[in-house]
Amino acid sequence: MSDFVIHGIAGSPFVRAVLMGLEEKGRGWRLQPLAPGASKAPEHLARHPFGRVPAVEHGDFQVYETQATLRYLDRIYPEPSLTPADPRQAARMDQIMGINDWYLFAHASAPIGFPRVIAPRLGFPADGSKVAEAMPRAEVCFGVLSRLLGDQPFLAGDGLSLADLMVAPQLSLLMECEEGQSLMAPHPALSAWLGRMEARPSMVATTWERLEQTAAAA
Ligand SMILES: N[C@@H](CCC(=O)N[C@@H](CS)C(=O)NCC(=O)O)C(=O)O
């Protein structure tokens, strides 16, 4: 039996971050797929009043917001730790998680990844008219992440952290469109980091295709 039920959709980078956290911790999970448009239905709003995914159930405990969910996992399953012990590296992790939510998602994934990758794949109408306009702010996001990574193996330093789990799904999604690839082109170290992340079993197990297959088999 799965300890965790994740209400969400395959392809959502936030859903993938939570699933990656569970995979990295070696915990069982079940993705409960939401039908298109169901995120604003009363049944889902009861789980997540803002009508977003993921919404997570762990026994009788419910939580939403990806940062909160990942921190919960890291607290209840301390090994392997996904928070640096060093306070400065921990501050970088927190900073990058904030950058993910406030800037990378808002300035790149939503205005570029949604119309270019998600909408066509889900058969939603895709309005690409704002993509070019979004590029300068998206370039800032890539430049900042690249500088924060520097020559470290992971975004917050020596070890995998929650910051890597949040950012990798967003960038992986963006790499599926030309604009995302051109945003990454000036940043070879960031691209190499993403390649290493995509090779981890936690990312391999949570690709869009794998999640669709899992949902179809359930
Ligand atoms: N702050 C939320 C963001 C979640 C989010 O925006 N999820 C997107 C999918 S990637 C969503 O639910 N979109 C559906 C909608 O806006 O209706 C979190 O950290 O979980």
Side-chain angles (χ1 to χ4, degrees), residues 66-84:
T66 300
Q67 289 204 28
T69 308
L70 287 173
R71 289 180 205 282
Y72 172 68
L73 293 180
D74 209 27
R75 287 177 183 127
I76 59 171
Y77 305 122
E79 296 297 332
S81 173
L82 295 174
T83 301

Side-chain angles (χ1 to χ4, degrees), residues 54-171:
V56 175
E57 290 172 29
H58 180 213
D60 61 0
F61 180 65
Q62 283 139 33
V63 63
Y64 60 85
E65 286 305 298
T66 300
Q67 289 204 28
T69 308
L70 287 173
R71 289 180 205 282
Y72 172 68
L73 293 180
D74 209 27
R75 287 177 183 127
I76 59 171
Y77 305 122
E79 296 297 332
S81 173
L82 295 174
T83 301
D86 175 72
R88 292 187 180 189
Q89 290 193 353
R92 285 285 175 246
M93 179 190 89
D94 291 343
Q95 180 185 7
I96 292 166
M97 291 168 85
I99 289 170
N100 182 81
D101 286 359
W102 278 87
Y103 312 115
L104 182 63
F105 179 66
H107 297 173
S109 306
I112 300 169
F114 184 79
R116 287 289 190 255
V117 183
I118 294 190
R121 195 149 167 181
L122 294 181
F124 293 164
D127 175 10
S129 62
K130 300 272 166 51
V131 169
E133 200 180 297
M135 290 297 276
R137 293 211 294 184
E139 277 167 20
V140 174
C141 296
F142 276 69
V144 163
L145 290 170
S146 180
R147 274 199 301 284
L148 288 170
L149 174 67
D151 57 5
Q152 306 177 113
F154 295 99
L155 288 174
D158 310 322
L160 180 76
S161 80
L162 302 180
D164 300 290
L165 303 189
M166 289 197 74
V167 172
Q170 307 278 346
L171 296 192

Side-chain angles (χ1 to χ4, degrees), residues 8-9 11-16 18 34 37-40 44 48 50-55 64-69 100-101 105 109 114 118 166 170 173:
I9 52 166
S12 157
F14 289 101
V15 169
R16 192 175 187 187
V18 167
L34 237 58
S39 63
K40 303 295 183 279
H44 188 66
H48 194 315
F50 300 98
R52 302 235 168 182
V53 292
Y64 60 85
E65 286 305 298
T66 300
Q67 289 204 28
T69 308
N100 182 81
D101 286 359
F105 179 66
S109 306
F114 184 79
I118 294 190
M166 289 197 74
Q170 307 278 346
L173 177 83

